[in-house]
């Protein structure tokens, strides 16, 4: 499991900065920010942050599944 976390963090560094920021603020931060809070912090619209998060999670899933095969 530690190896999987390490691989995920390594792959996160390959994401575009905006996607990485969305994951850091909305998922990894303790406690995670709500979309509204992240929007106020970054100045990005809520819809943009939501889109960035969905793209980031999709990209990570794809990258990690490629690593398995």
């Amino acid at each position: 499991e530690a190896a999987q976390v390490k691989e995920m963090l390594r792959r996160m560094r390959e994401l575009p900065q905006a996607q990485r920021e969305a994951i850091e603020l909305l998922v990894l931060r303790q406690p995670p920010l709500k979309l509204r809070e992240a929007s106020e912090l970054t100045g990005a619209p809520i819809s943009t942050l939501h889109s960035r998060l969905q793209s980031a999670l999709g990209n990570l899933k794809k990258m990690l599944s490629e690593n398995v095969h």
Side-chain angles (χ1 to χ4, degrees):
E1 188 170 305
Q4 291 172 329
V5 171
K6 186 176 179 179
E7 178 64 14
M8 183 189 69
L9 293 173
R10 185 181 75 77
R11 293 296 190 150
M12 272 186 59
R13 290 191 293 271
E14 298 174 19
L15 293 173
Q17 189 275 333
Q19 290 181 16
R20 200 169 50 248
E21 178 182 58
I23 288 180
E24 290 168 355
L25 294 175
L26 300 167
V27 178
L28 297 177
R29 181 181 170 136
Q30 292 301 317
L33 295 179
K34 295 181 180 354
L35 277 168
R36 180 186 44 77
E37 296 167 329
S39 175
E40 292 171 1
L41 181 67
T42 64
I46 290 173
S47 59
T48 299
L49 286 169
H50 185 264
S51 177
R52 288 175 183 169
L53 178 61
Q54 293 303 312
S55 294
L57 294 174
N59 287 337
L60 271 177
K61 183 177 179 180
K62 182 178 177 185
M63 285 187 264
L64 292 170
S65 70
E66 289 170 354
N67 191 48
V68 171
H69 299 119

